């Protein structure tokens, strides 16, 4: 794998973070000010065949994705709501946090298709840009190898 391919892969990894943050800002997701946006990390796990780029999110993304039906399970713990309320200027006294927890349990909330939306955006980006960039880098590698063989 030549340096050009490595550069393209590293650029793709960086763009995945940006795309994930844009997805969170989307009107249907509406998590622009969420701490989830700051938790996103991308790691290149393998540069071999196949190349593996892993996107990592905070562990509560599953709850946001699935949603919650009304009266399902127990009320969310109030200590889990503390930082969320604090970041939104909501009072963090036990009474307020208990009422928020109770409302979540009572009303539930609709799931948000974060990962499915991100997957769609990644597929578009791959078809529109990344495939061409990888193709050009691969062709450049083949040209340099052909040049070396013919000398």
């Amino acid at each position: 794998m030549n340096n050009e391919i490595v550069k393209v892969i590293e650029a793709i990894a960086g763009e995945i973070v940006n795309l994930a943050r844009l997805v969170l800002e989307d009107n249907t997701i509406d998590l622009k000010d969420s701490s989830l946006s700051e938790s996103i990390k991308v790691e290149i796990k393998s540069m071999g065949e196949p190349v593996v780029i892993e996107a990592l999110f905070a562990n509560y993304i599953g709850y946001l994705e699935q949603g919650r039906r009304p009266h399902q399970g127990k009320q969310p713990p109030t200590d889990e709501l503390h930082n969320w309320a604090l970041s939104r200027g909501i009072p963090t006294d036990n009474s307020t946090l208990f009422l928020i927890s109770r409302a979540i349990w009572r009303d539930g909330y609709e799931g948000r298709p974060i990962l499915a939306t991100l997957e769609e955006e990644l597929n578009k980006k791959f078809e529109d840009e990344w495939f061409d960039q990888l193709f050009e880098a691969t062709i450049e590698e083949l040209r340099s190898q052909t040049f070396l063989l013919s000398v």
Side-chain angles (χ1 to χ4, degrees):
M1 191 173 296
N2 70 6
N3 284 343
E4 288 302 312
I5 294 174
V6 171
K7 287 179 187 176
V8 171
I9 292 169
E10 288 172 346
I12 289 171
E15 286 186 55
I16 289 173
V17 173
N18 295 334
L19 277 174
R21 288 187 175 137
L22 286 173
V23 164
L24 293 177
E25 292 175 9
D26 183 273
N27 290 341
T28 59
I29 308 293
D30 195 26
L31 290 169
K32 177 174 49 174
D33 297 328
S34 169
S35 61
L36 183 63
S37 181
E38 296 306 315
S39 76
I40 301 167
K41 292 184 177 86
V42 173
E43 296 178 1
I44 300 172
K45 288 293 192 180
S46 169
M47 285 291 219
E49 294 291 328
V51 171
V52 177
I53 301 173
E54 188 172 79
L56 305 168
F57 296 86
N59 63 352
Y60 61 88
I61 192 170
Y63 295 110
L64 296 173
E65 281 263 317
Q66 292 173 338
R68 182 181 177 131
R69 292 189 320 262
H71 304 284
Q72 178 186 9
K74 296 179 181 178
Q75 284 184 212
T78 57
D79 54 332
E80 296 290 329
L81 297 170
H82 186 268
N83 289 340
W84 172 85
L86 197 60
S87 71
R88 285 163 177 74
I90 299 171
T92 56
D93 59 277
N94 287 339
S95 169
T96 302
L97 294 177
F98 175 81
L99 291 173
I100 292 169
S101 174
R102 178 69 139 187
I104 291 171
W105 175 81
R106 182 193 65 222
D107 302 336
Y109 58 87
E110 190 173 330
R112 299 173 183 180
I114 301 165
L115 297 177
T117 306
L118 178 58
E119 183 180 7
E120 286 176 24
E121 293 301 318
L122 291 173
N123 286 336
K124 286 180 200 172
K125 196 77 164 170
F126 193 88
E127 290 173 11
D128 295 344
E129 287 181 42
W130 296 339
F131 176 78
D132 292 335
Q133 292 172 359
L134 287 168
F135 180 76
E136 289 300 322
T138 303
I139 293 300
E140 186 59 37
E141 180 178 20
L142 291 174
R143 284 185 187 133
S144 67
Q145 287 177 0
T146 303
F147 177 73
L148 292 174
L149 290 174
S150 64
V151 171

